[in-house]
Amino acid sequence: MADSKLLVPELNDAETMGAETSRFQELLLQASKELQQAQTSRPESTQIQPQPGFCIKTNSAEGKVFINICHSPFIPPPADLTEDELLQMLEEDQAGFRIPMSLGEPHAELDAKGQGCTAYDVAVNSDFFRRMQNSDFLRELVITIAREGLEDKYGLQLNPEWRILKNRPFLGSISQQNIRSQQRPRIQELGNLYTPSSPRPEAGPEKPHLSLWLEAPDLLLAEIDLPKLDGALGLSLEVGENRLVMGGPQQLYHLDTYIPLRINCDESKAAFHQKRKQLMVAMPLLSVPS
């Protein structure tokens, strides 16, 4: 692993990180400005028409529930991992893999027997949907995440048992949905490796919020939110070929995350942004993901 020398103490608009790291400084500052602008501006939305995929049947205390798993090319894809890489990530960190999906509003429908029921439309990326069709593992993972997402969003308690309807790609009608427009047109979101609802020990260092963006074609950018810190004093950072480890002063924070990409740890650079209270890390890649 690289040592903590890659950590630049502070990042201000007028400071530099050295001529040899000017590219990383520019990218870090550019990402910071885009994020700041995105937060101060109202996010625009785009209306999409999901295409039918398949339908699953389950139930809740209120009655029958059908979930239309749909797809749209306007939904961003998840990180392009092999099943082995995904399994390794899920074993290391249950929140390590995020599948972007749009959860539609409930709509009342009639089932095949003419009885009332409730249907939901859940849309994922079209290319990922086609890949999912050839993988029982990915299909079950999407269904599980979709069920949990609907439960969280609408306060449901769905039966964990379900089945896929044969020869019926959807139930009822599939409505248009509004999704947030992309706010980083030149940066591909790779994933969010921590969710605020993720359980963590009551005692001990806090696990900070980490976001990763893949800046095509050979650079990975990371943001680590550290709201309790005013500067980089006492921070330690190590970047390995596929791992990022960070420690905070007085054991306030600790992060140890597997990253499914080969990182050039010797050329990685980092800086602490005082105004945003974020550690920003630039990590060149040894091999470009497909």
Side-chain angles (χ1 to χ4, degrees):
M1 284 191 173
D3 60 26
S4 56
K5 292 179 181 178
L6 62 87
L7 182 61
V8 176
E10 312 292 345
L11 176 64
N12 290 318
D13 290 347
E15 291 180 337
T16 63
M17 297 164 60
E20 71 280 3
T21 61
S22 58
R23 181 189 177 211
F24 300 119
Q25 180 202 21
E26 181 182 352
L27 287 165
L28 287 169
L29 289 172
Q30 192 172 50
S32 174
K33 290 178 182 178
E34 289 180 359
L35 288 167
Q36 192 170 14
Q37 291 172 358
Q39 286 187 345
T40 56
S41 63
R42 185 185 181 119
E44 298 179 355
S45 62
T46 301
Q47 194 170 65
I48 64 170
Q49 177 61 60
Q51 300 302 308
F54 60 87
C55 181
I56 67 172
K57 178 182 178 181
T58 183
N59 60 74
S60 67
E62 287 73 29
K64 296 179 183 178
V65 174
F66 295 85
I67 304 176
N68 297 319
I69 303 295
C70 316
H71 61 91
S72 168
F74 298 103
I75 304 289
D80 188 12
L81 306 179
T82 66
E83 289 192 15
D84 289 340
E85 290 173 333
L86 177 53
L87 282 170
Q88 183 178 356
M89 175 178 283
L90 293 177
E91 289 174 359
E92 299 257 349
D93 184 352
Q94 291 296 323
F97 184 70
R98 187 175 65 88
I99 300 177
M101 57 179 61
S102 176
L103 306 177
E105 299 287 335
H107 48 99
E109 301 290 349
L110 297 177
D111 64 10
K113 297 180 181 180
Q115 298 177 343
C117 61
T118 304
Y120 297 86
D121 305 329
V122 176
V124 298
N125 175 263
S126 294
D127 290 337
F128 179 71
F129 178 84
R130 285 186 281 271
R131 179 184 170 195
M132 178 182 67
Q133 289 290 78
N134 299 318
S135 169
D136 292 338
F137 169 70
L138 288 179
R139 185 163 51 247
E140 292 192 16
L141 179 63
V142 166
I143 292 172
T144 299
I145 295 176
R147 288 180 57 258
E148 292 176 350
L150 290 172
E151 288 181 333
D152 291 341
K153 184 174 182 178
Y154 297 111
L156 304 174
Q157 187 67 43
L158 297 175
N159 190 327
E161 296 184 0
W162 50 267
R163 67 181 180 89
I164 297 179
L165 300 184
K166 294 182 179 180
N167 302 319
R168 188 159 191 175
F170 65 96
L171 182 84
S173 60
I174 299 176
S175 302
Q176 292 183 335
Q177 296 185 17
N178 289 319
I179 62 171
R180 284 187 178 183
S181 301
Q182 293 291 330
Q183 295 182 356
R184 294 179 179 88
R186 290 171 289 100
I187 301 177
Q188 176 188 351
E189 186 175 359
L190 178 64
N192 192 327
L193 301 188
Y194 171 77
T195 57
S197 59
S198 299
R200 58 180 176 87
E202 295 182 2
E206 179 181 340
K207 182 179 180 181
H209 184 286
L210 167 67
S211 297
L212 292 174
W213 290 273
L214 185 62
E215 201 272 335
D218 60 351
L219 185 66
L220 184 67
L221 299 181
E223 285 182 345
I224 306 173
D225 293 339
L226 304 171
K228 297 179 182 179
L229 301 184
D230 295 320
L233 183 64
L235 272 179
S236 64
L237 179 67
E238 294 183 343
V239 177
E241 190 169 302
N242 59 8
R243 187 173 296 277
L244 185 149
V245 181
M246 187 217 71
Q250 301 177 350
Q251 296 188 337
L252 283 175
Y253 295 104
H254 180 74
L255 179 69
D256 186 348
T257 300
Y258 167 77
I259 298 176
L261 298 170
R262 294 183 63 230
I263 297 169
N264 186 342
C265 51
D266 293 330
E267 296 297 327
S268 295
K269 302 293 177 184
F272 187 88
H273 197 296
Q274 289 179 315
K275 292 183 180 179
R276 297 184 58 82
K277 294 183 181 291
Q278 288 178 332
L279 181 64
M280 307 181 74
V281 190
M283 296 170 281
L285 302 180
L286 292 172
S287 59
V288 180
S290 57

